Amino acid sequence: MGLVGVSVLARDPAWAHWLDPQWLSQQGHALLALPLGPIAVVAGYVLLVLMAVPVLALIVVGATVFGPWPGMAYSLVGMVTGATVAFAFGRFTGAQGMDRLTQGRLGLLSRHLHQRGLLTMALVRFMPVAPFMVVNLAAGALRVKPRDFVLGSALGLLPGTVLISLFTDRLLSAWQAPSVPMSAWLSLLAIVLLAVGGWWWKRSQRRGQRKSPQA
């Protein structure tokens, strides 16, 4: 729905300039050229994470504004930094307060985070069982080790960040270029297939987890 809304706005002359990828890229490079530009970008990501902006939107914006590889790096660093801030808030608030705030989802997440290890945290990020912000707060409330949370979050977010950034770059190239080389379309198709394969694998893993207690 979000992509459809953006495409509709992009056709409106009043919004076309503000949503033009080339103009956005110019603004991004100008921001990074400032002395405190990179810090401002990471701070902006932290704010967006705390506002519960979806991870997909954060990665797409990063790839569009800063390019695929710099955007990938800023998205990952910004999301992990924002998640760590929310993690600290969850730890300060405690389990009871977080259970009320997350509307009872803390019990569900506790089953996924009961090992509280780096690998478990990475799997929770890679196969999201709850909204990004809820996981941040719950991990803090459940006393996950800060080292495991930060490293696990980075490792779990990395594959999706890479795929979505590259997909966004190929999609923008196809949108802007009047005639796109076959290699670009093949790259785009490969990324889509990888994303679909990851989604299918994640779904099969969830089904296996649901059946295992009954076995």
Side-chain angles (χ1 to χ4, degrees), residues 121-155:
M121 195 66 232
L123 290 175
V124 169
R125 290 301 193 195
F126 185 71
M127 300 183 296
V129 296
F132 186 72
M133 190 62 178
V134 173
V135 173
N136 299 333
L137 297 170
L142 293 172
R143 300 290 174 178
V144 175
K145 293 181 180 179
R147 181 195 61 184
D148 292 342
F149 176 82
V150 174
L151 293 180
S153 295
L155 291 175

Side-chain angles (χ1 to χ4, degrees), residues 41-120:
V41 171
V42 174
Y45 267 100
V46 171
L47 180 61
L48 292 175
V49 168
L50 296 178
M51 293 172 61
V53 174
V55 168
L56 176 61
L58 296 175
I59 299 173
V60 169
V61 168
T64 303
V65 176
F66 305 112
W69 296 106
M72 191 185 305
Y74 282 111
S75 298
L76 187 61
V77 172
M79 289 188 298
V80 173
T81 304
T84 304
V85 173
F87 169 86
F89 180 78
R91 173 160 290 198
F92 174 78
T93 306
Q96 292 183 351
M98 281 301 99
D99 194 54
R100 291 193 298 270
L101 187 62
T102 58
Q103 299 178 350
R105 293 180 181 177
L106 196 61
L108 172 64
L109 287 172
S110 66
R111 292 196 292 271
H112 294 277
L113 296 174
H114 69 281
Q115 295 179 355
R116 303 180 185 180
L118 186 151
L119 179 60
T120 303

